[in-house]
Amino acid sequence: MIMKEDLFENQRKDMILGQGAILFAGLAKKIDKSLLSSVQEITQLAPFRHMKTSGGFDLSVAMTNCGLLGWVTDEAGYRYQSFDPLSGLVWPKIPPLFLELALEAAERAGYSSFVPSACLINRYVPGAKMSLHQDKDEDDLDSPIVSVSLGLPATFQFGGFNRTDPLQKLLLIHGDVVVWGGKLRLAYHGILPLKSGHHHLTGSTRINLTFRKVF
């Protein structure tokens, strides 16, 4: 039996968000179970945690990393570092399947030389959000951001170079991949509070993989 959700997903198309930015509808769905299995393996070595901002507030999104570098935040501020502050060990390697997906998406978007050095893994539960922000902690701002959505749907906000610029609001569903770079590399973006729901692979959560080249 074909479910309404499947019909909706099959009717969705790729969408250009601006110059150098594109949404690939369902690109990751064909390997979703393998991606989530790799997430589970990574989080056994580097568990999800709620990091603190420099102001001492806990992020509502639980995070971890894999790759040569990992993004962290604490009272000292935002930065990348080669080891997990919880264990003192280097971050787990980026799985080959992750790299293949990130490179495929980047190349489709016109960024053929992209090789990520960091993959942030975010876990959202109902009510968790990501406030509008720019990804600007990287030294390499010529390379794009590649973002993969798994699990529950979320509303993605994509704006301009000022926090008050008009926003596009896009529903990201399981398997969607968004790539942005070039002139829009420093566009403000965020995720509205996650709505309650159930996904057959992730339960009541959304998993986001964000690939970046730091240097």
Side-chain angles (χ1 to χ4, degrees), residues 76-90:
Y78 307 136
R79 65 190 181 279
Y80 285 94
Q81 61 185 44
S82 61
F83 62 92
D84 182 345
L86 290 185
S87 67
L89 302 175
V90 297

Side-chain angles (χ1 to χ4, degrees), residues 11-23:
Q11 291 172 354
R12 298 172 72 248
K13 297 181 179 179
D14 298 345
M15 181 185 304
I16 295 176
L17 310 183
Q19 186 175 352
I22 186 168
L23 162 64

Side-chain angles (χ1 to χ4, degrees), residues 124 128-130 149 152-158 168-173 189-195 206:
Y124 291 76
K129 64 180 182 178
M130 189 68 70
S149 293
L152 287 181
T155 301
F156 178 60
Q157 300 184 101
F158 191 73
Q168 299 181 63
K169 293 185 178 181
L170 309 165
L171 182 66
L172 298 182
I173 67 172
H189 57 282
I191 294 288
L192 291 178
L194 193 72
K195 294 182 179 180
R206 172 182 185 258

